[in-house]
Amino acid sequence: MIVVSELLLKYIPSMLAALATVVTLWKGWVYSSDRIYEQREKSSKFIYELYKISGEEYLKKLSIEYGYAAITRDNKLSFEQRNALLTSKNPTSDIDAYRKCSHLLTISCNPLRFEWISKRHKFLYYRKLVMVIMTLVYIVGAYAFTLPLTYNVMVPASVLNKVNVFTPLNKGLLTLYLIFVGGCLALWSLNKVSKIRIAENLRKNHIS
């Protein structure tokens, strides 16, 4: 344990650099929707100002479409689909939920329903199988993530003897690799399961 702690302290700058990279990529993915909202909000206001000057009705409609698109923050819905989403019984909850699982569902209007895009996801057993596999991936990822701090207990003696002959640099790189890969696997699998759950609940709330 002392050796591992020394290695972690020695290579902590590299670990922080790797973590910073992951956080930067994650922020770029998460906050892209905020940038979409800001851009479309500005477009909607600008187009509406043009409408007030010109009186052209198509500009008014276009301004409304940009406003709807700003609220839903999507790139693939039609005007009718956005309108159906905005006029649901619980639009705030539905919009937030749909944004998280939009790659799994499509929207049907009159009445509002959410349908699976992939035929495979229509089958309950397939979805359960995916969640079981993702749970196993999470366990593997969590195991790899915590392994550098618990290797004396969790790793067989035969493997431990092989690791002990590594140079300090190789041990440090192995530690970084396990933490990075294990963390990514755990987060990725949790994200997959979470999105399927959200999609299932969204469909259940709108079964007519």
Side-chain angles (χ1 to χ4, degrees):
M1 289 295 293
I2 296 176
V3 174
V4 174
S5 300
E6 291 176 351
L7 288 171
L8 288 175
L9 291 174
K10 182 177 181 180
Y11 294 103
I12 198 168
S14 300
M15 294 174 63
L16 291 176
L19 181 61
T21 302
V22 174
V23 171
T24 301
L25 292 173
W26 181 80
K27 288 177 66 177
W29 172 68
V30 171
Y31 293 112
S32 62
S33 62
D34 293 336
R35 290 194 293 270
I36 289 174
Y37 171 79
E38 293 171 358
Q39 292 169 357
R40 291 176 179 173
E41 179 195 26
K42 291 178 181 178
S43 296
S44 178
K45 290 180 179 179
F46 176 73
I47 295 170
Y48 189 74
E49 291 299 322
L50 288 179
Y51 159 72
K52 290 195 295 185
I53 295 173
S54 66
E56 297 287 349
E57 286 298 320
Y58 77 90
L59 289 176
K60 181 179 180 181
K61 181 180 178 181
L62 185 59
S63 173
I64 293 173
E65 288 196 23
Y66 265 101
Y68 285 5
I71 295 172
T72 58
R73 306 185 189 190
D74 72 279
N75 291 314
K76 61 181 181 180
L77 295 181
S78 66
F79 177 79
E80 290 75 17
Q81 287 174 318
R82 291 181 180 126
N83 185 57
L85 192 57
L86 289 168
T87 55
S88 69
K89 293 181 180 179
N90 194 350
T92 303
S93 175
D94 288 346
I95 290 171
D96 289 343
Y98 178 73
R99 281 179 53 219
K100 295 174 183 176
C101 60
S102 59
H103 67 291
L104 296 174
L105 300 176
T106 186
I107 296 176
S108 296
C109 309
N110 301 319
L112 174 63
R113 298 190 312 277
F114 296 88
E115 306 292 345
W116 295 108
I117 295 176
S118 172
K119 293 181 179 180
R120 294 173 297 180
H121 285 98
K122 293 179 180 179
F123 299 100
L124 176 62
Y125 289 116
Y126 173 79
R127 299 197 303 273
K128 295 300 182 184
L129 176 62
V130 171
M131 287 191 283
V132 169
I133 293 174
M134 289 299 104
T135 301
L136 294 176
V137 172
Y138 170 78
I139 293 173
V140 172
Y143 174 79
F145 184 81
T146 59
L147 192 58
L149 297 177
T150 60
Y151 78 102
N152 282 331
V153 178
M154 305 295 291
V155 177
S158 58
V159 177
L160 192 60
N161 291 334
K162 294 180 180 180
V163 173
N164 286 335
V165 301
F166 287 2
T167 65
L169 176 60
N170 288 337
K171 288 181 179 179
L173 293 174
L174 179 61
T175 298
L176 291 176
Y177 177 80
L178 290 172
I179 292 175
F180 180 78
V181 173
C184 288
L185 283 176
L187 291 174
W188 175 72
S189 57
L190 280 178
N191 184 55
K192 287 284 186 181
V193 172
S194 174
K195 288 183 177 180
I196 292 177
R197 287 289 192 187
I198 292 171
E200 287 179 335
N201 291 334
L202 193 56
R203 291 191 72 251
K204 182 179 178 180
N205 293 338
H206 290 274
I207 294 177
S208 56

